[in-house]
């Protein structure tokens, strides 16, 4: 690419760019990312705006986060090959084989890099929240991450687009966020803070009783005093105090108060008391939503009192206003609104809580469910292992290929080698020169690194959400000098590349189903070894049972019984219980196999050899017909 210096220290940030209207850069993911760059005063990344199909022009931005930030406009064809397989935003390191993709992953990386460049910016690191977990859980399993990262930006983009011609309905995601802000806050020192709040309220009651103030004013004083604790905690955290305030012993009546009698903590910011990355993500989105509401549908503003309060409060955070101004965000002055959102959004909670109704015909326990399946001709069916004695010559392979190089015991490393023997054999018998193989949920790269070493004519891509695991994998790959391997830190949804074979060893819960779905969409073969059956549940993407055959036979709750008992295969359990667990495990995987067969796949469920290599020893192998 023109203008790009070849340096191992350089990182490049790629953002979609469709168009810009009144300071709003589309898509909103790009607005959010540029706002964070401005807030962090981050100048260590080279930024490229990538023209989308909807791009109306390639003119430079009227508002850029920093005068020192270098921004270039390029076409999608100019992207590095690894980035072309991902949804943007994405950050890539030279020499273009390690990529981070997806909004939450990229934003967290920007925060980390900004702090590493200037460790005095402790307020920047605080954006990652308690234990640095803010928006860390992937959107496939975390409703909160999904709301912030995907559904709210998309819903507001649609709202802005539709509002040009006629009044569109308020997005359900906005109503959901308003409801979220009305819920009590949960924090790690919850009990202590609620007792402090109770103490404040009691003191306010005593003060107002002495002065005999009118009841309406008393109510107002109590409300402001109770909120002052949350505000004090929120804004003291923004100052990142080095020395904590001296602790004082609470009065006896406060210490002895029951937990049920303590007042709840109220939201100051999106995740609770503290300003986090979630607020950074939401601010550009909510701002542009409120601009349209105030301009065209001002009568609807009363429906969002908590969102309006949050919007006003976030302007008090140091550095927010200057950062917003540099990105073309001119804050609105909103009127104070009464809090009526609890009543208005009760229906939403009723809907979300009614996902699964009680089934009057449901009978608990695994045996009735197993008997019901047998009555309908559904029994455990395991295909024979294609080569039970085959094994890699581990002693003849470079040390960095073996899982023994990882931090695990000798026994565990041996079992891991046995698991790899099974998966690698199946993949090697399917792979052809030039094939692209994807190791989903790759962890430290045990599967992907072996495949890249054994199949040098194939391109292997490791996809993993956990950064440290992927960094360890890259270190092992560098030791081996592998040139046919890519590393992508991203949720599966952000990988859009074409591939021939998908592999996943012990992908947890519905992650196995996501891998199979990804392979089916691309018409790729798949070799998966499922894990954590007890975590399987209905999600925004999947409903269980999956296959038509199982849907006609089992209810959701009956299928969940199979999943819960499928996890009971540990070696320390009684033999009969383990056998029942294995039956349930095979039936859950049979449902997955039947569902894939409905998409024109030939699928086998195979037990790995030796079975002692793992309590979760099933392989689901699918090939498109």
């Amino acid at each position: 690419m023109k203008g790009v210096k070849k340096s191992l220290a350089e990182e490049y940030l790629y953002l979609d760019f469709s168009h810009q209207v009144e300071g709003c850069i589309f898509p909103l993911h790009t607005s959010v990312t540029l706002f964070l760059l401005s807030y962090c005063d981050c100048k260590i990344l080279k930024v490229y705006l990538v023209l989308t199909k909807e791009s109306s022009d390639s003119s430079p931005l009227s508002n850029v986060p920093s005068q020192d930030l270098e921004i270039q406009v390029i076409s999608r064809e100019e992207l590095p090959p690894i980035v072309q397989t991902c949804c943007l935003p994405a950050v890539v390191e030279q020499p273009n084989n390690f990529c981070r993709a997806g909004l939450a992953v990229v934003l967290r990386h920007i925060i980390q890099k900004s702090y590493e460049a200037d460790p005095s910016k402790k307020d920047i690191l605080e954006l990652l929240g308690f234990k640095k977990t803010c928006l860390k859980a992937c959107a496939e399993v975390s409703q909160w991450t999904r709301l912030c990262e995907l559904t709210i930006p998309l819903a507001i983009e649609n709202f802005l687009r539709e509002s040009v011609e006629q009044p569109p309905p308020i997005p359900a995601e906005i109503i959901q966020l308003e409801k979220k802000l009305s819920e009590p806050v949960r924090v790690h020192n919850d009990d202590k803070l609620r007792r402090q709040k109770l103490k404040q309220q009691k003191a306010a009651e005593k003060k107002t009783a002495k002065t005999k103030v009118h009841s309406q004013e008393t109510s107002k004083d109590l409300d402001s005093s109770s909120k002052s604790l949350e505000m004090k905690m929120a804004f003291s955290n923004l100052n990142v105090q080095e020395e904590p305030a001296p602790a004082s012993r609470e009065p006896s009546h406060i210490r002895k108060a029951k937990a049920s009698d303590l007042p709840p903590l109220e939201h100051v910011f999106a995740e609770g008391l503290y300003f986090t990355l979630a607020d950074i993500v939401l601010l550009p989105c909510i701002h542009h939503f409120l601009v349209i509401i105030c301009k065209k549908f001002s009568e609807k503003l009363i429906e969002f009192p908590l969102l309006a309060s949050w919007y006003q409060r976030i302007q008090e955070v140091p550095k927010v206003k200057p950062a917003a101004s540099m990105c073309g965000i001119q804050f609105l002055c909103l009127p104070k609104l009464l809090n009526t959102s609890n009543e208005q959004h009760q229906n939403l909670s009723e809907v979300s809580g009614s996902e699964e109704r009680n089934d009057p015909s449901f009978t608990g326990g695994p045996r009735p469910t197993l008997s019901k399946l047998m009555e309908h001709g559904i029994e455990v069916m395991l295909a024979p292992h294609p080569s039970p004695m085959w094994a890699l010559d581990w002693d003849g392979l470079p040390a960095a290929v073996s899982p023994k190089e990882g931090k695990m015991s000798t026994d565990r490393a041996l079992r891991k080698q046995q698991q790899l023997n099974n998966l690698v054999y199946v993949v090697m018998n399917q792979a052809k020169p030039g094939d692209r193989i994807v190791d989903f949920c790759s962890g430290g790269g045990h599967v992907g690194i072996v495949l890249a070493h054994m199949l040098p004519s194939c391109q292997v891509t490791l996809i993993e959400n956990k950064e440290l695991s992927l960094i360890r994998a890259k270190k092992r790959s560098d030791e081996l000098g592998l040139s046919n391997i890519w590393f992508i830190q991203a949720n599966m949804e952000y990988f859009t590349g074409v591939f021939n074979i998908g592999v996943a060893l012990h992908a947890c819960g519905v992650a196995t189903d996501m891998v199979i779905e990804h392979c089916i969409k691309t018409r790729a073969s798949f070799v998966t070894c499922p894990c954590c059956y007890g975590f399987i549940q209905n999600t925004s993407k999947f409903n269980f049972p999956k296959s038509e055959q199982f849907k006609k036979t089992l209810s959701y709750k009956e299928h969940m019984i199979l999943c819960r008992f499928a996890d009971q295969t540990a070696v320390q359990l009684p033999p009969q219980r383990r056998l029942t667990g294995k039956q349930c495990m095979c039936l859950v995987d049979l449902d997955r196999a039947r569902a894939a067969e409905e998409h024109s796949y030939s699928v086998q469920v195979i037990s790995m050899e030796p079975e002692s290599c793992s309590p979760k020893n099933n392989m689901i192998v699918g090939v498109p017909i």
Side-chain angles (χ1 to χ4, degrees):
M1 228 182 318
K2 292 179 181 178
V4 176
K5 296 176 184 177
K6 299 294 180 183
S7 169
L8 291 175
E10 288 183 333
E11 292 190 21
Y12 306 111
L13 171 62
Y14 298 94
L15 304 169
D16 277 325
F17 178 57
S18 170
H19 61 285
Q20 184 175 11
V21 180
E22 297 178 3
C24 181
I25 300 167
F26 288 89
L28 284 174
H29 277 185
T30 297
S31 284
V32 168
T33 309
L34 292 174
F35 176 59
L36 178 65
L37 289 172
S38 179
Y39 181 84
C40 296
D41 192 25
C42 179
K43 304 166 187 172
I44 55 178
L45 299 172
K46 286 192 174 182
V47 181
Y48 291 86
L49 297 181
V50 183
L51 298 175
T52 65
K53 291 179 181 177
E54 298 79 22
S55 300
S56 54
D57 61 70
S58 58
S59 57
L61 296 181
S62 56
N63 300 98
V64 295
S66 169
Q67 299 291 335
D68 301 322
L69 194 64
E70 182 182 339
I71 298 182
Q72 296 182 35
V73 179
I74 62 172
S75 66
R76 192 160 187 89
E77 290 72 25
E78 295 177 81
L79 287 171
I82 189 172
V83 182
Q84 292 187 24
T85 66
C86 302
C87 292
L88 304 185
V91 173
V92 68
E93 296 178 6
Q94 290 291 315
N96 289 342
N97 70 344
F98 195 115
C99 178
R100 294 170 175 86
L103 185 65
V105 166
V106 167
L107 297 185
R108 288 176 58 86
H109 182 65
I110 289 172
I111 290 168
Q112 292 279 8
K113 296 297 287 186
S114 299
Y115 176 70
E116 288 170 12
D118 184 357
S120 68
K121 293 181 177 179
K122 292 186 178 179
D123 59 318
I124 299 298
L125 198 61
E126 290 295 323
L127 290 174
L128 297 180
F130 181 62
K131 292 189 175 180
K132 310 294 180 279
T133 57
C134 181
L135 302 187
K136 186 176 182 180
C138 59
E140 293 93 343
V141 297
S142 168
Q143 291 183 359
W144 176 240
T145 301
R146 189 171 191 84
L147 187 70
C148 295
E149 183 181 31
L150 296 174
T151 57
I152 282 184
L154 185 60
I156 292 178
E157 282 179 14
N158 292 334
F159 179 83
L160 297 178
R161 195 178 300 115
E162 292 168 7
S163 66
V164 173
E165 297 180 359
Q166 58 185 6
I170 299 299
E173 293 79 5
I174 292 292
I175 299 172
Q176 191 177 348
L177 180 58
E178 177 76 12
K179 180 180 176 293
K180 170 82 174 174
L181 293 174
S182 72
E183 295 171 356
V185 171
R186 298 278 181 250
V187 290
H188 65 285
N189 53 348
D190 182 274
D191 186 81
K192 178 183 175 183
L193 293 178
R194 289 170 66 195
R195 291 185 191 280
Q196 288 178 14
K197 185 172 181 178
L198 179 63
K199 182 181 175 182
Q200 272 191 1
Q201 289 181 346
K202 295 291 185 186
E205 286 173 5
K206 194 179 292 185
K207 180 181 177 182
T208 52
K210 280 182 181 179
T211 54
K212 297 181 180 179
V213 180
H214 188 271
S215 60
Q216 206 170 18
E217 293 178 2
T218 302
S219 172
K220 191 185 292 184
D221 285 347
L222 283 174
D223 184 59
S224 62
S225 70
S226 64
K227 280 198 172 182
S228 66
L229 175 93
E230 284 95 334
M231 295 293 285
K232 182 180 177 183
M233 291 299 301
F235 283 92
S236 67
N237 189 67
L238 288 169
N239 295 328
V240 197
Q241 297 171 341
E242 293 293 340
E243 296 181 9
S248 60
R249 188 172 174 81
E250 304 292 357
S252 174
H253 67 284
I254 300 295
R255 294 199 311 273
K256 292 179 180 178
K258 294 179 181 177
S260 57
D261 295 333
L262 299 177
L265 299 175
E266 298 176 26
H267 279 260
V268 178
F269 296 113
E271 289 200 345
L273 300 185
Y274 306 119
F275 182 70
T276 65
L277 178 57
D279 297 283
I280 293 279
V281 173
L282 292 171
L283 179 56
C285 302
I286 300 305
H287 169 74
H288 295 301
F289 168 75
L290 291 175
V291 166
I292 297 298
I293 289 291
C294 291
K295 188 182 292 185
K296 298 185 178 182
F297 321 111
S298 56
E299 71 281 358
K300 291 185 177 290
L301 188 60
I302 195 172
E303 298 178 23
F304 314 106
L306 298 178
L307 202 55
S309 296
W310 168 84
Y311 178 77
Q312 299 281 52
R313 197 176 300 120
I314 208 168
Q315 299 174 43
E316 301 172 35
V317 175
K319 301 195 301 185
V320 162
K321 276 191 172 180
S325 178
M326 293 183 76
C327 293
I329 297 175
Q330 301 301 321
F331 282 109
L332 306 168
C333 290
L334 303 178
K336 271 200 169 183
L337 303 172
L338 293 174
N339 183 5
T340 58
S341 60
N342 283 349
E343 296 174 10
Q344 291 176 353
H345 306 312
Q346 278 179 350
N347 291 338
L348 186 71
S349 60
E350 289 170 9
V351 171
S352 60
S354 59
E355 182 179 323
E356 181 61 33
R357 301 291 183 187
N358 287 332
D359 182 353
S361 64
F362 170 68
T363 308
R367 296 204 177 279
T369 305
L370 293 172
S371 299
K372 188 175 181 180
L373 287 168
M374 287 184 67
E375 289 168 8
H376 287 77
I378 302 174
E379 297 186 54
V380 173
M381 294 175 60
L382 285 172
H385 196 291
S387 184
M389 302 303 293
W390 186 88
L392 286 160
D393 178 15
W394 292 102
D395 292 335
L397 294 174
V401 175
S402 174
K404 288 183 179 180
E405 288 295 291
K407 295 179 180 179
M408 59 177 69
S409 66
T410 304
D411 287 345
R412 189 181 168 204
L414 175 61
R415 290 195 301 274
K416 185 65 70 177
Q417 286 180 343
Q418 293 169 340
Q419 296 162 24
L420 293 174
N421 288 337
N422 286 269
L423 270 74
V424 170
Y425 175 82
V426 176
V427 174
M428 288 182 65
N429 276 273
Q430 289 189 14
K432 304 182 294 295
D435 274 358
R436 296 179 179 274
I437 302 169
V438 178
D439 179 10
F440 292 99
C441 309
S442 66
H446 294 309
V447 178
I449 286 173
V450 174
L451 290 174
H453 180 78
M454 299 299 296
L455 299 168
S457 62
C458 295
Q459 175 69 42
V460 179
T461 301
L462 276 60
I463 299 179
E464 170 59 47
N465 185 258
K466 297 182 180 68
E467 182 180 34
L468 292 179
S469 297
L470 215 52
I471 288 172
R472 284 198 300 270
K474 187 175 186 304
K475 184 180 177 183
R476 288 173 60 194
S477 169
D478 290 345
E479 289 176 17
L480 292 164
L482 297 176
S483 59
N484 62 329
I485 190 165
W486 284 348
F487 305 87
I488 299 177
Q489 184 197 349
N491 300 339
M492 254 182 270
E493 286 184 338
Y494 281 100
F495 177 72
T496 58
V498 176
F499 59 101
N500 306 97
I501 303 173
V503 190
L505 174 58
H506 290 155
C508 186
V510 296
T512 288
D513 302 282
M514 292 167 60
V515 170
I516 293 174
E517 183 196 51
H518 222 86
C519 293
I520 289 174
K521 281 183 178 178
T522 314
R523 302 303 294 169
S525 300
F526 57 82
V527 184
T528 67
C529 175
C531 190
C532 304
Y533 293 78
F535 288 165
I536 293 173
Q537 61 181 347
N538 282 350
T539 68
S540 59
K541 295 175 70 70
F542 301 108
N543 288 312
F544 293 89
K546 295 179 68 180
S547 67
E548 290 301 320
Q549 184 184 29
F550 274 69
K551 283 177 186 176
K552 291 174 183 175
T553 309
L554 297 184
S555 68
Y556 172 66
K557 287 190 175 180
E558 286 171 323
H559 191 79
M560 289 303 99
I561 286 288
L562 289 181
C563 295
R564 301 301 176 265
F565 277 86
D567 261 349
Q568 301 191 20
T569 55
V571 291
Q572 60 267 35
L573 293 174
Q576 186 56 45
R577 197 165 168 187
R578 291 207 311 271
L579 182 61
T580 302
K582 176 71 171 178
Q583 282 182 289
C584 292
M585 193 167 75
C586 290
L587 288 165
V588 172
D589 291 336
L590 183 61
D591 175 48
R592 287 164 159 162
R594 293 283 185 267
E597 287 171 352
E598 291 167 8
H599 293 276
S600 301
Y601 269 70
S602 171
V603 189
Q604 293 182 319
V605 181
I606 304 169
S607 194
M608 291 198 290
E609 294 289 346
E611 287 196 8
S612 59
C613 68
S614 172
K616 303 296 180 287
N617 50 29
N618 278 0
M619 280 194 303
I620 309 174
V621 180
V623 179
I625 299 173

